[in-house]
Amino acid sequence: MRDQMTFKRYELKYMLTKEQYLIIKDELKNHMIEDKHGHSTIQSLYFDTPDFLLIRRSIDKPMYKEKLRLRSYGLADKDTKVFLELKKKYDSVVYKRRISTTEDEALNFFKQDSENKIMDTIVDSQIKQEIKYARDLYSSLAPRVLLSYERDAYYGIDDSSFRVTFDSNILWRDADVNLHSGIYGNSILPEGYVLMELKTSGGLPLWMTTLLSSNQIYKTSFSKYGTAYKTILARDGKIREFAYRYNSSAKGVLRYA
């Protein structure tokens, strides 16, 4: 499958135990095919303001939210193709626009005094304008958090728009945030757990809904970047401020969002 540059779909998340993961993985053999990237190490470098405005708004669960990130498959060097992505979510529908570039070009794109060439090489003017608008809308955007994880990705035999991904060994760090320094950081998930995402433009296949129901697997709300941000707040002694601003209950602060 070719790399897709625009997406419009629903994304449903499920936190799996090791046993549940093995059951679902075995059933996929009858319905799905490993996609182009198959098993890969993904790095996502999130851009935000100095006060983390984008992720704070996202955690507040508004009707509309957006994120800007730079994604690579494995470690990147100066010539590696990476993707600068604008990810939006409106009324439960996810829209994603992305540009193929290099890490250096993408970083230059966020320097206000830079005459960067990234915009000159993009053919699709709609994608170009959306990403440029988001960059100009927020002040002082810069890399804030790097997330990495191991991913296994599949697409449907009968419907290639239906995708299933499994993410494990999810790590984050807010120092040395780049795509070329190595895969390391602080773990997000409890040992043995796997994050599954179902991505579809419509409803789920009957075989998948039956599989989820029979194994008592239920949808959850989970944000990798949001969880990393909450951990940063706790580390820096700001979790009480976060709790006051975004949720009045301690239980609410600890749940995945």
Side-chain angles (χ1 to χ4, degrees):
M1 296 180 67
R2 296 178 59 189
D3 286 318
Q4 191 172 349
M5 308 305 280
T6 63
F7 302 81
K8 177 185 176 183
R9 63 195 183 194
Y10 296 94
E11 296 184 352
L12 310 176
K13 301 180 182 181
Y14 303 80
M15 195 64 65
L16 307 180
T17 64
K18 182 178 180 179
E19 292 75 17
Q20 291 171 329
Y21 165 69
L22 292 175
I23 290 171
I24 291 184
K25 190 80 175 290
D26 185 63
E27 182 64 23
L28 291 193
K29 298 174 184 177
N30 301 317
H31 306 279
M32 308 197 78
I33 299 172
E34 195 175 77
D35 88 348
K36 173 184 176 180
H37 295 288
H39 177 82
S40 59
T41 300
I42 292 179
Q43 296 190 100
S44 292
L45 184 58
Y46 283 84
F47 291 80
D48 215 325
T49 63
D51 62 349
F52 291 92
L53 177 61
L54 272 72
I55 191 57
R56 288 193 289 110
R57 285 181 174 174
S58 178
I59 289 173
D60 205 25
K61 297 186 181 298
M63 180 71 71
Y64 171 82
K65 58 185 178 182
E66 58 191 352
K67 296 173 184 175
L68 273 165
R69 67 190 183 195
L70 188 63
R71 170 165 290 186
S72 70
Y73 294 88
L75 292 177
D77 58 33
K78 65 178 182 178
D79 298 319
T80 301
K81 180 175 71 172
V82 299
F83 297 97
L84 178 59
E85 300 181 342
L86 172 62
K87 188 173 183 180
K88 308 176 183 181
K89 189 173 184 180
Y90 177 73
D91 197 20
S92 300
V93 181
V94 174
Y95 303 84
K96 188 163 72 173
R97 306 285 186 265
R98 66 183 190 175
I99 297 166
S100 177
T101 181
T102 66
E103 183 177 8
D104 285 345
E105 286 180 337
L107 293 177
N108 285 336
F109 177 61
F110 290 92
K111 296 178 181 177
Q112 294 182 357
D113 59 347
S114 170
E115 287 205 12
N116 79 83
K117 300 177 182 179
I118 185 172
M119 303 312 289
D120 298 330
T121 61
I122 301 167
V123 176
D124 191 317
S125 61
Q126 180 64 30
I127 296 177
K128 175 175 70 176
Q129 293 306 319
E130 287 188 35
I131 294 180
K132 185 175 184 297
Y133 178 81
R135 179 201 65 178
D136 296 341
L137 179 62
Y138 302 100
S139 61
S140 304
L141 285 174
R144 305 295 175 188
V145 170
L146 178 71
L147 284 155
S148 65
Y149 43 95
E150 302 299 313
R151 168 166 286 185
D152 292 292
Y154 301 83
Y155 66 93
I157 295 174
D158 298 324
D159 178 8
S160 61
S161 67
F162 176 59
R163 301 186 70 242
V164 177
T165 60
F166 300 100
D167 295 341
S168 59
N169 192 31
I170 304 175
L171 307 174
W172 71 271
R173 66 179 191 258
D174 61 347
D176 199 20
V177 285
N178 60 66
L179 300 176
H180 55 266
S181 288
I183 306 298
Y184 69 93
N186 307 288
S187 182
I188 285 180
L189 295 184
E191 186 175 355
Y193 279 79
V194 174
L195 178 65
M196 178 176 73
E197 293 189 41
L198 307 183
K199 306 175 183 185
T200 177
S201 57
L204 297 180
L206 179 59
W207 66 265
M208 177 57 79
T209 58
T210 301
L211 183 62
L212 295 173
S213 177
S214 61
N215 289 281
Q216 298 182 310
I217 299 172
Y218 307 108
K219 187 174 68 170
T220 188
S221 179
F222 184 88
S223 165
K224 300 183 186 77
Y225 182 26
T227 304
Y229 172 65
K230 291 178 183 180
T231 308
I232 292 171
L233 289 178
R235 180 199 65 191
D236 296 346
K238 297 180 180 179
I239 195 67
R240 290 187 179 181
E241 175 186 350
F242 173 82
Y244 175 78
R245 294 178 62 182
Y246 292 97
N247 200 307
S248 59
S249 70
K251 182 179 180 181
V253 174
L254 296 176
R255 76 169 184 266
Y256 295 122

